Amino acid sequence: MTNRIFVAGDSAAVTRPQGQLPMAGWAQALALFLTDAVEVVDCARARASSKSFREEGRLQWVLDQLEPGDHLLVTFGHEDGKADPGLHTEPFSTYQEHMAAYVHGARERQAHPVIVLPYERRRMDVHGNAARTLGDYPVAARQLADDEHVPVVDLYGQSVQWWGELGPEASKGAFAHRRQGEPLLEKVQDGDNVHLRAEGAIECARFVARSLAEQGVIPFPWVRDLDRRRFSYEEMGWPDEETFSHRTHSRVSEPAPRKESSA
C-alpha cells in the first residue's frame, strides 16, 4: 500500500522544471526524507494564493484525488498579501476562510489536513536580523489551526531563526542567488530573496518531515535520512518542461459551488 502526501501551496513549495535549476520548492525535496512507501503529490503552483488556488479549481482537483488516510499539507501566504484582487486575502477573514476550505475538504474525505506555515523571505534589517515580511498571515494560519485542531509545522519560525543565525551573506546560500561559474538562466532571476535553491529547499523539507514525524502526524518508519547532510542535484528530480506543463494544466477540476452561509 502506498501512503500519499498531497501538497497545496505556492511557489515556495512548487516542483520546478529543469529550465529553472537550481531553484526548487521545499515540497520538491520532501521525498528525499520519506521512504519509497510514501508518495508525495506536489500540487503547489507558482503565483498561487489560498484564494486563487481554490478559485482556479486546483483545490477541487486535490480533493477529487484524496482517499481516506491521505495527508494534505496546506501552505500559503507569500501571494495572499499581494494587491492583485485575484490573489489578495485579508489574514483574519478571507485568508482564514479559504484555508478552512482546505481543512474541511480534506476531513470530509477522511484525509488528514496539516497547515505548514510559510517560510520567511530573506530580508535583513539594519542589524542583520531577519525581517518579518509576511505580516499576519503566519499568525492567522496558526490561529485557524488551533481553532480547527489541525497539526502545524512551524516552518515560519524555524526560517526566521535560520536566516538570523546565518546572517546577511551566508543566508544567500539558501536562496536563488547565482554562484560563481553557474550560468544565468533565462527563467531564473539572480539575487532572488523569495525563492529557494535546492540547498534551501532540502533544509526546509528536512524540517517539515522531522516535524511531521515528531508530532506523530506520520509514523517515524515513514521517514529516512533526516541526519544525512549531502544530496546530489540528480536526487531532487526536476521534471522536463513537457511533464511540468502537463501537471500544471491538468491538475484542475471545476470548483464545487460554495455553500451559502445561513442567516
Side-chain angles (χ1 to χ4, degrees):
M1 175 182 175
T2 299
N3 305 288
R4 300 192 301 173
I5 298 177
F6 287 78
V7 181
D10 53 29
S11 58
V14 71
T15 295
R16 299 280 181 179
Q18 293 173 358
Q20 295 182 19
L21 268 155
M23 292 173 67
W26 63 256
Q28 182 175 353
L30 188 57
L32 297 175
F33 301 103
L34 299 169
T35 69
D36 292 340
V38 185
E39 178 186 3
V40 177
V41 185
D42 184 8
C43 302
R45 286 291 161 253
R47 295 179 295 280
S49 69
S50 62
K51 174 185 178 180
S52 68
F53 193 95
R54 182 184 181 195
E55 291 185 344
E56 291 172 3
R58 297 191 181 280
L59 169 59
Q60 190 59 48
W61 186 90
V62 173
L63 298 180
D64 289 345
Q65 312 309 310
L66 285 179
E67 297 178 356
D70 288 341
H71 290 77
L72 173 59
L73 309 188
V74 184
T75 179
F76 291 99
H78 284 277
E79 301 291 336
D80 284 78
K82 298 285 181 67
D84 183 339
L87 299 173
H88 184 75
T89 63
E90 290 293 330
F92 296 105
S93 58
T94 48
Y95 175 67
Q96 289 184 329
E97 291 167 10
H98 285 294
M99 294 286 281
Y102 296 75
V103 172
H104 298 160
R107 284 180 167 161
E108 288 168 2
R109 290 153 181 81
Q110 301 178 54
H112 308 293
V114 179
I115 291 178
V116 181
L117 304 187
Y119 65 74
E120 184 53 272
R121 304 175 178 114
R122 181 187 167 274
R123 297 282 192 274
M124 300 293 176
D125 63 22
V126 294
H127 304 291
N129 299 313
R132 297 176 183 260
T133 71
L134 293 177
D136 287 331
Y137 292 98
V139 178
R142 181 180 285 281
Q143 183 184 86
L144 174 67
D146 290 343
D147 291 344
E148 296 286 347
H149 305 288
V150 177
V152 173
V153 174
D154 190 7
L155 184 56
Y156 177 78
Q158 183 63 42
S159 67
V160 170
Q161 178 182 327
W162 277 339
W163 313 151
E165 290 174 349
L166 288 170
E169 191 60 34
S171 57
K172 292 179 181 179
F175 288 84
H177 284 250
R178 185 165 57 113
R179 297 177 179 174
Q180 186 173 4
E182 285 184 338
L184 183 57
L185 300 179
E186 180 182 352
K187 296 182 180 180
V188 179
Q189 173 187 346
D190 188 24
D192 186 333
N193 293 311
V194 177
H195 302 110
L196 302 170
R197 58 183 291 140
E199 291 82 353
I202 287 169
E203 292 313 309
C204 288
R206 187 196 310 272
F207 178 80
V208 171
R210 188 187 300 276
S211 181
L212 292 173
E214 288 180 346
Q215 293 185 68
V217 177
I218 63 174
F220 251 109
W222 287 15
V223 300
R224 64 178 178 183
D225 291 339
L226 290 177
D227 297 321
R228 181 180 166 192
R229 307 319 303 177
R230 298 180 66 85
F231 293 89
S232 68
Y233 273 21
E234 288 74 17
E235 292 176 272
M236 285 285 293
W238 280 270
D240 58 49
E241 297 292 341
E242 183 178 351
T243 300
F244 175 78
S245 178
H246 173 73
R247 291 176 181 172
T248 299
H249 293 100
S250 65
R251 291 179 172 178
V252 179
S253 295
E254 186 68 26
R258 293 195 189 180
K259 298 177 181 178
E260 296 294 333
S261 57
S262 57

